[in-house]
Amino acid sequence: MTISTTLWSFALVVGLLTLTPGLDTALVLRTAALGRRRRAWGVVLGIQTGILVWGALTSLGVTALLTASQVAYEILRWAGAVYLLWMGTRMLIDAWRGIRADGADDAPALEEAGTLYEGWRQGALTNLLNPKVGVFYVAVLPQFIPAGAPHFTTGLLLTCVHILLGLLWSMALIAFAQVLRGWFQRPAARRALDRVTGTVIAGFGLKLALGD
């Protein structure tokens, strides 16, 4: 298998994965839809930072510990589950407070500051505390490294393909959210968005806690 064939094959696999609606999509859309464009890009960069770390560790063989050590996997799994459940529950509580506050959306949002760093931290933690991302890389990445190719360099190259596709897709998501920004600025729409996103994120946390 040549490098070019490897890149195109890997791009197809991770491209389909990127387009599949999930936690990352919900988080980016919700942040951008609320008008926090800078923070939304922070979330995107944080997610891609997490992917880069997983890719680098996999290329070095470190993430194989997740599959070899049940204890390491369980610690990371529970840390991720607690973080996602906290984040999702916080969104749901904020939405509920908005309903009770004289019918107005006066509840403090989870990311009131809207800074690039805060978004980056949230995106990075969401990705790095998800052991399933590490397991995916352990299972998939080595399969696309041609025999005789430098393992670390090729692994990073493939990871960069994943990051590039993620950035392009996130760009489209943020642009789409900006188009609907006016509608999502309405109190009722914002509460609905927080309920849906909070439920999705808490659901992912619960699924991770149950080991599904």
Side-chain angles (χ1 to χ4, degrees):
M1 184 183 292
T2 64
I3 291 294
S4 60
T5 302
T6 295
L7 291 176
W8 282 110
S9 300
F10 186 74
L12 177 61
V13 172
V14 295
L16 293 174
L17 178 67
T18 300
L19 293 175
T20 302
L23 177 61
D24 293 348
T25 299
L27 196 56
V28 172
L29 270 179
R30 188 257 180 181
T31 308
L34 294 180
R36 302 187 179 107
R37 187 181 180 89
R38 183 189 298 271
R39 185 185 177 94
W41 274 112
V43 171
V44 171
L45 294 176
I47 291 170
Q48 304 313 318
T49 298
I51 291 175
L52 179 60
V53 171
W54 283 119
L57 292 178
T58 301
S59 300
L60 290 171
V62 177
T63 48
L65 292 174
L66 285 177
T67 55
S69 172
Q70 185 66 22
V71 174
Y73 180 86
E74 288 297 316
I75 290 175
L76 190 58
R77 180 172 70 87
W78 279 107
V82 169
Y83 177 71
L84 292 178
L85 284 170
W86 172 82
M87 184 163 56
T89 302
R90 180 81 179 272
M91 288 182 186
L92 291 172
I93 291 175
D94 284 348
W96 176 252
R97 285 176 178 171
I99 295 175
R100 295 177 63 89
D102 299 324
D105 190 36
D106 295 327
L110 179 63
E111 319 86 12
E112 197 60 37
T115 64
L116 185 71
Y117 170 73
E118 289 295 322
W120 177 86
R121 185 178 63 180
Q122 186 180 47
L125 284 175
T126 300
N127 190 277
L128 290 173
L129 291 178
N130 187 352
K132 293 188 176 181
V133 180
V135 171
F136 168 81
Y137 262 82
V138 169
V140 174
L141 192 66
Q143 309 302 320
F144 288 89
I145 299 179
H151 200 278
F152 182 71
T153 304
T154 307
L156 281 185
L157 181 61
L158 293 173
T159 302
C160 288
V161 171
H162 191 182
I163 291 173
L164 177 60
L165 292 176
L167 289 173
L168 293 175
W169 176 238
S170 297
M171 188 183 302
L173 288 177
I174 292 175
F176 173 73
Q178 290 296 305
V179 172
L180 299 178
R181 176 182 172 183
W183 186 79
F184 280 119
Q185 289 299 308
R186 294 195 237 169
R190 177 173 170 176
R191 288 194 297 267
L193 180 62
D194 275 353
R195 289 190 205 114
V196 171
T197 310
T199 301
V200 169
I201 292 176
F204 272 101
L206 184 60
K207 185 177 181 181
L208 194 58
L210 296 175
D212 295 337

